[in-house]
Amino acid sequence: MSTHRDSGGRALPIAILLCAILALLPTQWSRWTAWIADPVEFVVQPIAHPVMRLTRTLLPTRDEYSAESPAMQEVRRLYDEQTLALRQSELQIEQLRRQIRDLQSGVPVAPEARVRQLWAPVTARSSNLSDGTIRIGAGSSADVQPKVSVATARGVHLVGRVIDVQTRTSWVLPFNHPKAGHIEGVVLTGPTLEGSFGCQLLGRADGQLGGDLVGDAVGIEPGQIVRLRDETWPAAAQMLVLGRITSVDRKENGRLVIVVEPQIPPDRVSEVVLRIPESAQEGAS
């Protein structure tokens, strides 16, 4: 048993040594190996070609899955379409969430005024810069009433007043447009209205508002919030945010002059939330 194992163990090193010697021999000295290869090739060759063809039929062709192949282009198109649909769905969900936040955040403003809130998209703007009106996608069919309905952004920021209503559309005049005339506001210098001071503002061409404060105004500084407190506006609009003070100056007579910049410029909004008094809706019906 040990003799058979020893002879088997010597066979492998001998075979390796012979292969190494044959590899190092010149070509003319190793031609005799073809005599052994030819019979083997004669036996294997007839079945090699059919096996190769069978293998190629089972494997996908290179062109079928290349980047420029029609199949891959179709897969890429379907992937892009599904990705677009997913992103659009995510955007729509985010827009609906924002609308819900806007509708809920506007409820505490003027709680004594019974209002119905209605979301509407901005569909167009007047081509006439001197006009400045904004068209929204809600009208008399949704019980929108002119003069008493106001448009807001993010629930608490004033955009403007509805001045004209059609069946499915309405026109809003931004509060900061010069055509809107003077608007009265109140500057909050503390947490309550007890420490507030009134002001009268007028829209400027640059979208900001400027005006004087009451004579006894003190503690006015940039960054403070200015809210609407104007009896010529509907109750549903009172205490809506007009903007923040950007600069404070003093006249020769001692009165303070402020510049107010809307935190959400009305000419850039893409959607609004209308605040429609319920009494106006009942009167219209």
Side-chain angles (χ1 to χ4, degrees), residues 135-177:
R135 188 179 70 186
I136 59 175
S140 58
S141 61
D143 295 323
V144 178
Q145 302 298 321
K147 306 299 181 181
V148 295
S149 301
V150 294
T152 66
R154 296 184 188 173
V156 297
H157 296 268
L158 181 63
V159 172
R161 192 202 306 248
V162 176
I163 60 173
D164 185 33
V165 177
Q166 300 174 1
T167 303
R168 297 189 179 277
T169 60
S170 301
W171 290 93
V172 176
L173 178 62
F175 76 95
N176 63 335
H177 194 275

Side-chain angles (χ1 to χ4, degrees), residues 20-214:
I21 294 173
L22 290 173
L24 296 175
L25 288 176
T27 305
Q28 61 271 20
W29 292 3
S30 59
R31 289 176 180 173
W32 59 271
T33 56
W35 302 342
I36 301 175
D38 290 343
V40 175
E41 185 178 354
F42 176 78
V43 175
V44 175
Q45 185 63 29
I47 63 173
H49 184 64
V51 172
M52 184 177 294
R53 293 190 59 182
L54 177 62
T55 303
R56 288 180 177 177
T57 57
L58 296 177
L59 294 176
T61 61
R62 182 179 300 177
D63 293 339
E64 183 178 356
Y65 290 97
S66 64
E68 302 300 328
S69 65
M72 285 303 296
Q73 290 180 356
E74 179 65 14
V75 170
R76 188 180 298 108
R77 184 186 66 82
L78 292 175
Y79 172 79
D80 292 341
E81 289 181 353
Q82 294 301 317
T83 302
L84 175 61
L86 175 62
R87 297 295 176 258
Q88 289 176 336
S89 298
E90 292 175 346
L91 178 60
Q92 185 178 16
I93 292 173
E94 178 59 29
Q95 290 175 339
L96 291 173
R97 287 175 177 172
R98 186 174 65 251
Q99 292 172 20
I100 293 173
R101 290 196 301 266
D102 291 349
L103 291 171
Q104 291 176 340
S105 61
V107 172
V109 179
E112 73 283 354
R114 298 177 57 190
V115 299
R116 177 175 62 91
Q117 298 192 103
L118 175 67
W119 177 87
V122 174
T123 58
R125 289 177 172 82
S126 175
S127 58
N128 186 359
L129 295 178
S130 62
D131 183 40
T133 53
I134 302 171
R135 188 179 70 186
I136 59 175
S140 58
S141 61
D143 295 323
V144 178
Q145 302 298 321
K147 306 299 181 181
V148 295
S149 301
V150 294
T152 66
R154 296 184 188 173
V156 297
H157 296 268
L158 181 63
V159 172
R161 192 202 306 248
V162 176
I163 60 173
D164 185 33
V165 177
Q166 300 174 1
T167 303
R168 297 189 179 277
T169 60
S170 301
W171 290 93
V172 176
L173 178 62
F175 76 95
N176 63 335
H177 194 275
K179 187 179 177 180
H182 287 87
I183 186 171
E184 294 183 3
V186 58
V187 182
L188 302 178
T189 60
T192 64
L193 285 174
E194 294 180 358
S196 62
F197 300 95
C199 60
Q200 190 176 61
L201 305 173
L202 180 64
R204 308 191 316 188
D206 60 359
Q208 298 183 338
L209 302 100
D212 297 354
L213 281 93
V214 293

Side-chain angles (χ1 to χ4, degrees), residues 270-281:
S270 60
E271 56 189 28
V272 297
V273 173
L274 294 175
R275 294 175 63 84
I276 307 170
E278 293 185 353
S279 58
Q281 181 181 350

Side-chain angles (χ1 to χ4, degrees), residues 10-27:
R10 290 193 298 270
L12 181 59
I14 293 173
I16 295 175
L17 180 59
L18 290 175
C19 290
I21 294 173
L22 290 173
L24 296 175
L25 288 176
T27 305

